[in-house]
Amino acid sequence: MNDILITNGRVIDPASGRDEVANVAIAKGFIAAISTGRPRAVETIDAEGKIVCPGLIDMHVHCREPGHEEEETIATVSAAAVAGGFSTICAMPNTHPPVDDETGVQYVLQQAARAGLARVLPVGCITKGREGKELAEMGLMLETGAVAFSDDGDGVASTGVMVRALQYANMLGAPILQHCQDPDLMTGVMNSGAVAVRLGLGGINAAGEQIMLRRDLELVERTGARYHAMHVSSAGSVELIRQAKERNLPVTAEATPHHLLLTDAACMTYDPNYKVNPPLRTAADVEALREGVADGTIDCLVTDHAPHSKEEKELEFGLAPFGIISLDCAVGLFARALIETGACDWVDVIRALTANPALAMGHKATGLGTLAVGAPADVTIIDPKKRWTVDVRKFRSKARNCPYHGWKLKGRPVTTIVGGKVRFSL
Ligand code: DOR
């Protein structure tokens, strides 16, 4: 007897090339069968007119725990994740203290188990204290359950440290996730250009992203290590990654809803909810990013969910912290940016939220991101026609620093199943 049977949905599983109307049976926490038959089950979920796909994976989430529980906790971010259709999130280590040893990794796993909603895969720091000087205990963190390494929030500036990080990560078989930003060129609070000049705000030139990315790609070529470019924001970076892939380098990349939807013109409002790092750039950059997702240069879609307290985000633009939240509403945003514009179809978007992040994270995420029979039963059901209005007051996230309040979107997850258990249902 199965536990759950999801009937008549359009089953999209890019990992196995499946796109057909079928029934998905779940038993004992695993995918038991996908067929047009109707095996018996304790519970039936009617998915007619809906998309049934692997549980979505967001490989870039700031959980703020430990240290800033007033902004977000692993429990609240897990609730936001499943409400947004995500069965798995990767927890960034720029916490207080940073997750740079095995006790930090253990803590994240323990809090995630306590929350019991989404899978939370810890990412460990590349360097001790995120100081960019000495490598963190990468091996021990991996043994304890970390899946990748990143100093996100900052790029690793030292070429010597970065090359050693890549060599170690390569030996351990884990990817390095890099926040590409040369710190010497981190000279402002928004994109450099006409809007920054008009507003009298310091600019951050896209060259700072591209210079670090260009250097790193050279190091990847030398070391053979797996490398993932985080929150890519500029047309020049998309082109560098495209060329690296043509040379068969083991490189993956991600894009966020805000870089796919918004430009620096939004900063004209002086609203700190548009202050993000890397900054919102130009319409040409947005276009290049959409093309990058469409042609597979950008493999993964992520939120870079970055919660901040109301008090901090109410500071003036120059003083407020960088960050935007979107876990609760990401699927509708990706549909707006990529499907409604004609750049991609649902299969492309789901691939970038399932199979591709599982591949980018590597062996620790094996079994996730697919509906293959025998895989863990992480399943998301999306209503692609559902029209709804973003209301930040209803978010499960603790934070409210979201520029999409009031946006009318089409497409929304209605059910999220994690390990065979329904963890969200609209
Ligand atoms: O806008 C951002 N916020 N970018 C980052 O890289 C870090 C993040 C945060 O932690 O707030």
Side-chain angles (χ1 to χ4, degrees):
M1 182 76 139
N2 296 293
D3 298 313
I4 300 175
L5 186 68
I6 306 167
T7 58
N8 291 322
R10 176 182 168 193
V11 180
I12 298 179
D13 181 23
S16 61
R18 190 188 289 273
D19 180 4
E20 65 193 358
V21 173
N23 303 327
V24 178
I26 294 171
K28 299 189 175 70
F30 294 91
I31 304 293
I34 301 182
S35 73
T36 49
R38 281 190 78 111
R40 291 196 318 135
V42 177
E43 185 189 348
T44 300
I45 300 174
D46 178 11
E48 189 160 350
K50 310 213 169 72
I51 290 169
V52 179
C53 65
L56 308 180
I57 301 171
D58 184 350
M59 59 185 288
H60 192 155
V61 174
H62 296 274
C63 304
R64 301 293 186 235
E65 193 179 351
H68 279 292
E69 290 81 356
E70 78 286 3
E71 297 179 340
E72 192 80 283
T73 65
I74 289 174
T76 56
V77 86
S78 300
V82 292
F86 295 95
S87 55
T88 298
I89 56 175
C90 295
M92 287 303 133
N94 63 335
T95 49
H96 296 274
V99 175
D100 65 358
D101 65 11
E102 64 274 35
T103 58
V105 172
Q106 264 159 9
Y107 184 79
V108 171
L109 290 172
Q110 172 202 304
Q111 294 301 82
R114 198 170 280 175
L117 288 170
R119 295 180 201 272
V120 181
L121 307 181
V123 173
C125 291
I126 298 172
T127 65
K128 285 188 183 157
R130 295 179 61 252
E131 285 176 356
K133 294 183 184 136
E134 215 183 316
L135 288 189
E137 293 289 358
M138 294 165 71
L140 289 176
M141 286 194 282
L142 204 70
E143 271 172 33
T144 315
V147 293
F149 303 102
S150 179
D151 275 2
D152 183 49
D154 295 296
V156 177
S158 157
T159 309
V161 171
M162 189 58 179
V163 83
R164 279 197 298 282
L166 287 165
Q167 284 165 339
Y168 265 86
N170 196 24
M171 206 166 67
L172 298 167
I176 291 284
L177 322 180
Q178 174 78 305
H179 176 140
C180 296
Q181 174 61 53
D182 184 323
D184 291 339
L185 298 181
M186 188 63 188
T187 47
V189 293
M190 65 172 290
N191 184 44
S192 69
V195 182
V197 172
R198 185 150 356 137
L199 297 181
L201 293 171
I204 306 166
N205 199 289
E209 177 175 274
Q210 290 151 24
I211 285 168
M212 187 171 277
L213 178 59
R214 203 180 273 271
R215 176 205 69 177
D216 286 354
L217 293 173
E218 174 93 23
L219 299 179
V220 169
E221 192 144 31
R222 283 160 183 261
T223 57
R226 279 177 34 229
Y227 175 89
H228 178 82
M230 308 178 89
H231 43 44
V232 176
S233 71
S234 69
S237 296
V238 175
E239 191 47 36
L240 285 170
I241 295 159
R242 189 174 284 123
Q243 288 166 12
K245 288 191 165 187
E246 276 163 16
R247 286 186 282 141
N248 288 321
L249 295 187
V251 170
T252 52
E254 63 180 42
T256 68
H258 42 276
H259 292 116
L260 289 163
L261 281 166
L262 301 169
T263 68
D264 57 358
C267 302
M268 295 289 282
T269 58
Y270 280 111
D271 179 351
N273 282 336
Y274 295 105
K275 182 176 177 182
V276 67
N277 178 19
L280 305 175
R281 300 208 190 266
T282 66
D285 294 306
V286 169
E287 197 48 43
L289 282 166
R290 289 178 182 170
E291 278 167 21
V293 179
D295 73 10
T297 302
I298 305 286
D299 312 77
C300 305
L301 296 171
V302 305
T303 61
D304 188 4
H305 179 88
H308 291 290
S309 68
K310 193 163 170 283
E311 293 71 27
E312 277 187 303
K313 271 297 200 184
E314 274 175 1
L315 294 171
E316 65 186 77
F317 198 98
L319 297 176
F322 292 100
I324 287 175
I325 62 164
S326 59
L327 253 184
D328 292 80
C329 57
V331 169
L333 295 173
F334 288 130
R336 159 81 67 95
L338 296 165
I339 298 173
E340 288 167 33
T341 56
C344 297
D345 58 21
W346 275 105
V347 177
D348 300 324
V349 167
I350 289 167
R351 183 184 300 109
L353 287 165
T354 59
N356 285 358
L359 276 174
M361 297 309 283
H363 65 281
K364 285 286 179 77
T366 301
L368 302 182
T370 175
L371 293 176
V373 171
D378 292 5
V379 183
T380 298
I381 305 177
I382 298 169
D383 184 344
K385 298 208 182 80
K386 189 164 189 71
R387 293 184 186 276
W388 61 293
T389 304
V390 178
D391 184 348
V392 297
R393 292 164 302 187
K394 295 190 179 145
F395 279 9
R396 268 71 167 178
S397 168
K398 235 185 206 192
R400 295 290 177 264
N401 53 301
C402 175
Y404 310 110
H405 181 65
W407 279 38
K408 294 191 185 334
L409 299 176
K410 189 176 161 201
R412 185 172 190 177
V414 290
T415 304
T416 307
I417 298 172
V418 187
K421 299 266 187 305
V422 177
R423 296 303 189 192
F424 171 77
S425 173
L426 194 63

